[in-house]
Amino acid sequence: MTAPFPDWPADFVQRMDGRACACGSAPAPGDAGDRIRVYAGRVSDAFLMRHAAQRGYAVVVWKNGHAAEPADLAPRDADRYGREVLLVGTAVRRHFAALKINYLTLGNQTPHLHTNVVARYADDVAPGALLDPVGAALPEDRWRADAAALRALLTGESALVRRWDE
């Protein structure tokens, strides 16, 4: 059988509508070998990724059922998702002293709503250019220390969380 869109994976339509979503109805909670959960929000979980082009690469993942696009969400849920993405981005910027944060909501490979939060620096590996955030494994001790610092910034008691929770 020929795929309906020959340049896309044969099951892409099913991935988009959730029947073949690689994330299932929600991402696996907690940590995995290459990610540490740094935030558990109302509608999303955020993970600090170990394989990164440079420090400060996090992924915020929608966790309340399948959605492929922010526009698939009810307005209140889209607002909450956006606030949680910005909260994580603010924490990444603060902890890593990033010059700039890139927010990438793509889904061309995994069409389950998620946003890549990518720290950019004055001494960036690709200043002024697009950056593939995935790279080599960061040193484990540094990665774990960064995750612990982000978790502290993203606890429900922090001023940062209270600011975005208004």
Side-chain angles (χ1 to χ4, degrees):
M1 181 167 124
T2 304
F5 309 102
D7 295 330
W8 291 88
D11 67 344
F12 196 75
V13 171
Q14 289 80 13
R15 291 182 197 181
M16 286 289 296
D17 67 19
R19 290 178 287 158
C21 179
C23 293
S25 62
D31 304 342
D34 64 344
R35 67 181 191 190
I36 296 174
R37 185 170 58 183
V38 295
Y39 176 69
R42 286 187 233 158
V43 301
S44 71
D45 285 324
F47 301 90
L48 184 65
M49 307 305 287
R50 183 169 184 201
H51 290 84
Q54 54 194 15
R55 288 173 61 221
Y57 169 38
V59 179
V60 180
V61 183
W62 173 258
K63 68 179 181 181
N64 293 342
H66 178 73
E69 307 282 351
D72 293 343
L73 304 175
R76 174 172 275 156
D77 289 337
D79 176 65
R80 185 72 219 163
Y81 179 77
R83 285 174 176 263
E84 291 183 9
V85 167
L86 293 174
L87 167 64
V88 171
T90 303
V92 166
R93 187 172 185 197
R94 183 175 292 174
H95 172 67
F96 292 100
L99 177 67
K100 168 86 176 85
I101 299 294
N102 289 163
Y103 299 91
L104 305 161
T105 303
L106 302 172
N108 296 325
Q109 293 176 347
T110 305
H112 181 90
L113 179 57
H114 66 284
T115 301
N116 297 282
V117 177
V118 184
R120 305 302 299 265
Y121 301 98
D123 62 348
D124 202 88
V125 298
L130 293 176
L131 175 68
D132 183 350
V134 178
L138 299 170
E140 185 170 1
D141 58 338
R142 187 74 181 262
W143 170 60
R144 289 192 179 282
D146 286 337
L150 284 175
R151 278 182 175 155
L153 283 171
L154 293 166
T155 64
E157 312 307 315
S158 78
L160 188 62
V161 170
R162 286 193 310 271
R163 175 181 175 231
W164 286 103
D165 238 3
E166 294 176 343

